Amino acid sequence: MDIKWICAVTIILAWFCRASSAHQTSVEPPRNLQIIDPGLLGHLYIEWQPPPFLLTLDQCTIKYKLKYRSTGDADWKVVFTKKLKYGDGFDLSKRTEAKVQTLLEGRCTNESEVKSDWTHTTFQVPSQGELESQIRDFHCVYYNWEHLTCTWQLGQLAPAGARYELYYWYEGLDHTVQCSDYIQTHGRNTGCNLQNLRQAEYIDFNVCVNGSSESTQLRPSYFTFRLQNLVKPSPPEKLSVSISAYEEVHMEWSPPAGGTPPHCLDYEVQLTEHDGDADAPWTSVSTQVETTFTFSQANRSRVSCVRVRGKTNMFCASKGFWSEWTRKCFYVSRKDEKQLFILIAVALSFLTVIIIFIFAAQCKKSVLGKFHAPVGC
């Protein structure tokens, strides 16, 4: 038998055996998948246990593919991990679903990846109270990176004696914390002020506004956000304006004092030119990480106004609120007015010279008349 043919048959048989072995290798899905609510206002843990046979399996890499989402989300969040537990924030007003599978790869699978079937589970907080009893128009602003203010309106079906309370939690706290500085309207809580939250920036901030009433149950509301995306900085400071001989408007300002990092701000600069018209359009220009700007006036008006405001930029947050405007108005005379003023000044000067000459001539004539007058008897 030809040696080359024998070698070829041996290689083919070896490949077939390896492929057959890989095909026969299978792996079971994880066991006891569950979603656990530790009472942290939406921060849930997804836990599972490995398949039993993996405890005796060696020479292979074992990891898990986890997918999870809330009801209504179009896409799944996907995580690859070797751990048996994973935590994330969820909206507790919605149903949460998760699924996990085992991934096996290594010498035990001839270096090919083997996947198990999926294991599924769901979780939902039991509903309580009517939907119209929960708060409305919940809104939070993180002012100047220093204090958070959240406000809301009472539920449409909230009874007269209903009382709403705000609780919050973020990673680093041992337990949920209740608001200690409520905003009240007609004696009822409609907002909350929170201080000293720098350690909560750039992580999930979980909030629950729950209600209590003697007559009926009230439905709680859950929110998860990040503080840096709610920043409203203070207005820029020390705005000054100067005008060059070419009527260029030069503006300078300083970043606001307080907690806002200066490198986190973009600015919007606007100028309007009008003759007392409050509805005149504004020319707007955005500028990044600067505190100076120069406008070239397209029209020469008597009165002009400039204003500037700041907002957290893309390097520090994905969104935010504009500050209030810092505004300053000033007077710029028209060129035709300047020319008229110069013409009047020249005319007055020329007229003054003529009057002086006439007056001098009259004086000279008067003096000469007296000198040549006849002497009386």
Side-chain angles (χ1 to χ4, degrees):
M1 182 179 293
D2 186 77
I3 187 67
K4 293 182 179 180
W5 186 85
I6 294 176
C7 290
V9 172
T10 303
I11 293 173
I12 292 173
L13 289 174
W15 178 86
F16 178 80
C17 292
R18 180 177 179 180
S20 177
S21 175
H23 178 73
Q24 292 176 357
T25 302
S26 62
V27 60
E28 295 182 8
R31 300 176 299 152
N32 301 328
L33 175 64
Q34 56 184 330
I35 301 175
I36 300 174
D37 181 9
L40 300 178
L41 310 183
H43 188 83
L44 304 179
Y45 290 107
I46 306 172
E47 296 183 0
W48 60 92
Q49 295 178 354
F53 85 93
L54 292 182
L55 300 177
T56 60
L57 191 63
D58 57 4
Q59 298 181 339
C60 254
T61 300
I62 304 166
K63 58 184 178 181
Y64 303 95
K65 183 177 182 179
L66 170 66
K67 289 186 174 183
Y68 60 92
R69 66 180 179 182
S70 295
T71 303
D73 294 346
D75 300 320
W76 294 83
K77 291 185 178 180
V78 181
V79 175
F80 293 91
T81 180
K82 294 183 179 181
K83 298 180 179 180
L84 300 174
K85 182 178 181 179
Y86 187 81
D88 202 353
F90 296 86
D91 184 352
L92 292 186
S93 63
K94 300 179 180 180
R95 186 170 66 100
T96 301
E97 54 183 324
K99 58 183 180 179
V100 63
Q101 68 177 174
T102 309
L103 305 178
L104 197 62
E105 186 176 16
R107 293 181 61 183
C108 68
T109 63
N110 293 319
E111 306 303 331
S112 62
E113 185 179 69
V114 178
K115 302 178 181 179
S116 75
D117 293 331
W118 291 98
T119 296
H120 295 76
T121 191
T122 61
F123 172 83
Q124 186 168 16
V125 176
S127 298
Q128 69 176 46
E130 296 293 334
L131 180 62
E132 291 79 8
S133 67
Q134 66 182 174
I135 62 168
R136 299 170 292 149
D137 301 330
F138 184 78
H139 180 72
C140 294
V141 179
Y142 193 32
Y143 288 99
N144 206 30
W145 297 72
E146 291 180 331
H147 66 276
L148 178 70
T149 297
C150 296
T151 58
W152 59 84
Q153 292 186 18
L154 304 179
Q156 290 182 338
L157 297 184
R163 176 180 176 84
Y164 290 94
E165 296 174 334
L166 181 144
Y167 298 84
Y168 65 94
W169 179 87
Y170 54 86
E171 189 173 359
L173 295 179
D174 296 332
H175 53 81
T176 60
V177 180
Q178 185 183 170
C179 173
S180 59
D181 182 14
Y182 283 107
I183 301 170
Q184 293 193 334
T185 303
H186 304 301
R188 306 177 74 177
N189 296 339
T190 55
C192 172
N193 292 310
L194 298 174
Q195 308 280 348
N196 303 318
L197 297 176
R198 296 309 295 260
Q199 66 274 21
E201 295 171 4
Y202 294 97
I203 58 177
D204 286 345
F205 193 90
N206 298 325
V207 170
C208 173
V209 181
N210 201 355
S212 59
S213 171
E214 295 181 357
S215 59
T216 183
Q217 287 187 324
L218 304 180
R219 180 168 296 190
S221 298
Y222 299 93
F223 308 92
T224 298
F225 48 81
R226 297 204 167 188
L227 296 179
Q228 73 274 6
N229 295 327
L230 302 175
V231 171
K232 181 175 183 177
S234 297
E237 298 180 352
K238 302 177 182 177
L239 175 62
S240 63
V241 179
S242 60
I243 305 170
S244 70
Y246 302 98
E247 293 190 356
E248 290 183 334
V249 180
H250 182 71
M251 306 169 55
E252 291 187 4
W253 63 89
S254 299
T260 302
H263 69 274
C264 286
L265 289 177
D266 284 346
Y267 298 96
E268 183 179 15
V269 181
Q270 290 188 343
L271 179 142
T272 185
E273 301 171 327
H274 57 83
D275 290 312
D277 182 7
D279 297 326
W282 292 81
T283 301
S284 181
V285 179
S286 296
T287 179
Q288 296 181 344
V289 197
E290 295 181 15
T291 54
T292 179
F293 195 81
T294 299
F295 268 111
S296 295
Q297 286 187 288
N299 302 314
R300 287 166 289 278
S301 302
R302 294 182 179 179
V303 178
S304 293
C305 293
V306 294
R307 61 186 185 184
V308 58
R309 62 179 180 175
K311 183 180 181 181
T312 307
N313 59 34
M314 60 180 293
F315 303 106
C316 296
S318 59
K319 55 185 177 179
F321 303 104
W322 283 105
S323 74
E324 301 299 326
W325 288 103
T326 294
R327 177 169 174 166
K328 180 165 290 192
C329 296
F330 52 92
Y331 177 81
V332 178
S333 61
R334 297 177 183 270
K335 277 191 173 180
D336 53 358
E337 291 177 348
K338 294 180 180 179
Q339 293 172 353
L340 179 62
F341 177 79
I342 295 173
L343 182 61
I344 293 175
V346 171
L348 289 176
S349 299
F350 183 72
L351 182 60
T352 301
V353 171
I354 292 177
I355 292 174
I356 292 174
F357 273 110
I358 294 175
F359 181 75
Q362 290 293 334
C363 288
K364 184 176 180 180
K365 183 178 179 181
S366 176
V367 171
L368 291 176
K370 290 180 178 181
F371 182 78
H372 293 289
V375 179
C377 297

